[in-house]
Amino acid sequence: MIKIDKLTRRYGQFVAVDEVSFQIARGEVVGLLGHNGAGKTTIMRMLTGFLEPTSGSIQIDTLTMGRDTAAIQRRIGYLPENCPSWPEMSVVEFLEYQALLHEVPPERRSAAVAAAIRRTALADKATQSISTLSRGYRQRVGVAQAILHTPDIIILDEPTNGLDPTQILHMRSLIRELAENATVIVSTHILQEVQAVCERVLILRSGRKVVDARLDELQQDARLLVTLDRDETSARPVLQAVRGVRAVKLLPPSGPGTAGPPPRYQYALQADEVSTPLVSRAVHDAGFALYGLLREQRTLEAVFAEVNGSGTFGALGGVEVARAA
């Protein structure tokens, strides 16, 4: 449905987005992750036609951004990070005006506004002036304007920004509901939100795409931590010979469980789940002392730390990680 090919945006000598390519199928919920300045907002602005790419292309089905910008924009609902609104308007007045801008037919306008208010739980604030609303309620108004014309592509920039825990749970439920009939892109720096609602993640670093993977693929990729009394020369051949073990890495001495006499060495194994009892047996048969055997799940936090230079887990991961220069 969405095809991005070598999308680039420069500001003079500064490259905000550097040849990013990806495709998103109809009905997917995709999380766009990255530190501030990674290029997330720039990509969303180009996807919605508010910013022209320096080079590269954006296609939505048979439509091409530039040639068919207006047609593409009719199919998109967009929540910017700081959603513009008219504070003197009431919620209903603002949404009615947005429905007019979105070209919702007059006979459907009232029903569309009512549906958006219901889905974003704004009924008790509908007649209030936007200026009197809390930040969380203003965020809900922003989501309401993004979905009232029933777009088939919904792009949400920090949708849970300013929401309390109850409102966050409601927003997660709404995103799942929207995904039943639309493609949803969620940009956030909160990893828990991506894990809660997304099925796929794109991670950006310095304007480049460094990870593109399904979350279930990341979660299936785990490592086995083994703490022994033998150094790498003795332990590596034994561990590598175990069926299902694909890689062995000696962790730094500062790792957990490596302190104090007798000397202890911790190894990280990329291994199948069935390998755990086989490793225990091999260590016992070799006469090694086993001080720890722990299967550690690979998390989105670990992947994010790795691609941003503060983690080591991904060195054994099965998901391809492109290094940013």
Side-chain angles (χ1 to χ4, degrees):
M1 181 179 190
I2 301 174
K3 182 178 180 181
I4 308 299
D5 186 37
K6 295 184 178 179
L7 195 64
T8 300
R9 176 66 195 195
R10 295 186 179 91
Y11 296 94
Q13 297 300 313
F14 175 68
V15 182
V17 175
D18 190 2
E19 293 195 345
V20 170
S21 299
F22 58 85
Q23 296 185 36
I24 300 176
R26 187 179 302 276
E28 278 195 289
V29 183
V30 178
L32 193 59
L33 278 176
H35 286 307
N36 292 336
K40 306 186 301 296
T41 297
T42 302
I43 286 179
M44 287 186 292
R45 288 175 177 170
M46 289 189 284
L47 272 172
T48 53
F50 290 101
L51 186 65
E52 185 176 349
T54 302
S55 61
S57 64
I58 300 170
Q59 284 188 296
I60 309 296
D61 291 332
T62 60
L63 304 175
T64 301
M65 191 67 75
R67 184 191 66 196
D68 307 304
T69 299
I72 290 175
Q73 288 177 326
R74 292 188 189 99
R75 298 179 58 178
I76 292 176
Y78 178 39
L79 170 69
E81 183 175 3
N82 297 302
C83 183
S85 62
W86 286 265
E88 68 279 3
M89 285 184 171
S90 68
V91 172
V92 168
E93 289 171 339
F94 174 71
L95 293 179
E96 287 175 343
Y97 179 56
Q98 290 295 317
L100 176 64
L101 296 180
H102 283 300
E103 300 178 347
V104 177
E107 66 274 12
R108 288 182 43 217
R109 226 166 268 165
S110 295
V113 170
I117 288 174
R118 175 184 53 79
R119 297 174 85 181
T120 53
L122 282 167
D124 59 340
K125 305 291 184 181
T127 59
Q128 284 189 216
S129 169
I130 292 176
S131 63
T132 66
L133 301 180
S134 67
R135 181 170 183 175
Y137 275 107
R138 291 189 188 191
Q139 191 75 345
R140 291 204 224 177
V141 173
V143 175
Q145 66 80 29
I147 67 175
L148 63 83
H149 58 301
T150 59
D152 54 10
I153 300 172
I154 300 171
I155 300 175
L156 305 174
D157 194 353
E158 301 290 353
T160 58
N161 193 13
L163 302 186
D164 62 35
T166 300
Q167 292 172 331
I168 288 173
L169 292 176
H170 177 267
M171 183 63 66
R172 291 176 181 175
S173 176
L174 175 59
I175 290 173
R176 295 189 192 101
E177 179 188 330
L178 294 172
E180 295 176 4
N181 300 298
T183 299
V184 182
I185 301 174
V186 179
S187 172
T188 181
H189 63 278
I190 303 175
L191 303 183
Q192 294 89 340
E193 293 308 306
V194 172
Q195 289 190 292
V197 300
C198 299
E199 51 199 38
R200 179 175 156 208
V201 62
L202 298 169
I203 302 180
L204 301 175
R205 179 184 174 190
S206 301
R208 296 181 181 179
K209 184 188 75 174
V210 291
V211 169
D212 182 352
R214 290 184 56 85
L215 286 177
D216 54 5
E217 293 174 350
L218 294 178
Q219 292 165 357
Q220 287 172 2
D221 188 16
R223 67 178 182 176
L224 187 64
L225 299 180
V226 184
T227 306
L228 306 173
D229 65 341
R230 302 302 172 96
D231 62 18
E232 190 172 11
T233 302
S234 302
R236 180 176 288 276
V238 173
L239 297 174
Q240 285 184 327
V242 175
R243 178 169 57 87
V245 173
R246 300 182 295 280
V248 176
K249 180 180 180 181
L250 176 64
L251 298 181
S254 59
T258 60
R264 299 181 186 182
Y265 303 87
Q266 189 174 52
Y267 301 88
L269 279 58
Q270 183 185 352
D272 300 334
E273 188 171 0
V274 295
S275 301
T276 304
L278 300 180
V279 169
S280 177
R281 183 183 305 167
V283 167
H284 177 269
D285 291 346
F288 300 165
L290 178 63
Y291 292 99
L293 185 61
L294 173 66
R295 190 160 192 87
E296 184 181 70
Q297 194 72 27
R298 193 184 198 201
T299 64
L300 184 57
E301 285 86 350
V303 175
F304 191 78
E306 179 212 349
V307 301
N308 286 284
S310 56
T312 59
F313 198 119
L316 291 173
V319 176
E320 183 177 355
V321 175
R323 292 292 183 187

